[in-house]
Each structure stands twice: as structure tokens, then as C-alpha cells.
Amino acid sequence: MAKTLYSSLFFLSFVVVELLGILPNVKGNILDDFCPESFIPPLCFQMLRNDLSVPKGDIHGLLSTILQIAQDNTTSTYKLVKSILKQPIKDPNVKAQMTNCLRNYNDATNYLKQSNDFYKTGAYKNTSLYSSLAVYESVSCNHGFNEVPSELKPLSEAVQEFSNLSARIADNLK
């Protein structure tokens, strides 16, 4: 069920972006335009609302901040998975899945670094593409579990949330 939900949300977010095709008109706080349409709106608001580096109406400032949050969460998730793998794991299937997750989050970290590099050069379509690939890697990790481990779930959600937001925003920049 969770696998289908993540896949559906991932697909739906890109359908919505393609249908809209334009940036929203920012009338006040830019977060009021983006967070309600995110995977997990409360998480988006919680992590960005009090961030002084998110100026009102500055789409580039928002994208830069979101990319940094996505990178930070991906790195943290990679480190968490690595630390879990250092502990004894009785179930060989769980160990195999955690090993896959380690590869997923290594790839996601690299994709977000490339995404940020593309953003800095103004290659926004590539920024969007590589952020989307990071979302895919996180979702792929989660698909291997019947239920995502509780210590992994919050970081995984943050990776997906902010990688997805960066992809959506970058996709609309010219």
C-alpha cells in the first residue's frame, strides 16, 4: 500500500507541474504558494517557515535553501543507514534491503550535488531532473520494506519532500 502511495504521489506531482507549467503568483510568503502542494505540507512549513534564508517572494532563494535541506537530509539518511548496517541485523532480508538503501542514498547524495551544481549554472531543467532522481532513489529504498523502519522514515520523508520541491521549482524556472 505504501509503495503504491509513494509512486502515485511521485507521479502526480510531476503531472501537476506539467499541467500548470508556470510559477504561482507570489502575493506574500512564498511558502504559502508551494508548501500546500507538497507531499507533506506540515513538514514543508515546519522546516522552512522560520528559515531566515527564505526571503518572501524570492524563488531563487527558496530553491537554494530547499536544495541545501535536501542535501543535508540525504547525507544524514546515508549516515543513518550506514550506522544501522554496523549493528547486528538478524534478518538477512532486512540487511540486504539496508545495503540497497545505502546504495540508494549514496546515489541520491550524488544526484543532489549535481542538481545543485546545475542550479548554480542556471541549467534548471537538469536541476529538476537530478532532484527527481534523488526522489526516485529514496522511494526505491522504501519500496524494499513492508514497513519503513521508524528511524529511517522521517529522514526519508524529508529527502523526498525537499528533493521533490526543488524539482518542481527548478522545472518552472527559465
Side-chain angles (χ1 to χ4, degrees), residues 124-135:
Y124 302 126
K125 294 297 180 190
N126 285 335
T127 301
S128 178
L129 172 65
Y130 280 84
S131 291
S132 298
L133 290 170
V135 174

Side-chain angles (χ1 to χ4, degrees), residues 1-12 39 97 135-136 138-148 153 160:
M1 176 69 179
K3 294 177 189 178
T4 305
L5 177 61
Y6 279 121
S7 297
S8 298
L9 287 173
F10 181 68
F11 176 74
L12 184 59
F39 284 157
Q97 184 52 38
V135 174
Y136 174 79
S138 180
V139 170
S140 293
C141 167
N142 291 353
H143 280 180
F145 296 104
N146 289 332
E147 187 173 325
V148 178
K153 189 172 183 174
Q160 292 169 29

Side-chain angles (χ1 to χ4, degrees), residues 84-85 89-100 144-145 149:
I84 290 170
L85 281 168
I89 301 174
K90 293 178 183 176
D91 185 338
N93 293 327
V94 171
K95 183 168 182 142
Q97 184 52 38
M98 292 305 283
T99 301
N100 288 335
F145 296 104

Side-chain angles (χ1 to χ4, degrees), residues 23-80:
L23 287 172
N25 294 324
V26 178
K27 297 179 177 98
N29 189 327
I30 198 166
L31 300 182
D32 293 335
D33 292 314
F34 284 97
C35 287
E37 297 176 18
S38 65
F39 284 157
I40 310 167
L43 179 61
C44 179
F45 281 115
Q46 174 190 355
M47 295 203 59
L48 294 173
R49 175 121 6 232
N50 296 320
D51 191 325
L52 298 176
S53 64
V54 181
K56 289 184 177 181
D58 179 5
I59 194 71
H60 289 277
L62 178 63
L63 179 54
S64 180
T65 299
I66 287 173
L67 277 168
Q68 187 59 55
I69 291 171
Q71 284 180 297
D72 292 347
N73 279 286
T74 303
T75 301
S76 295
T77 308
Y78 175 84
K79 289 177 180 176
L80 172 66

Side-chain angles (χ1 to χ4, degrees), residues 145-162:
F145 296 104
N146 289 332
E147 187 173 325
V148 178
S150 60
E151 65 268 36
L152 183 60
K153 189 172 183 174
L155 283 171
S156 174
E157 288 176 345
V159 169
Q160 292 169 29
E161 177 74 2
F162 293 101

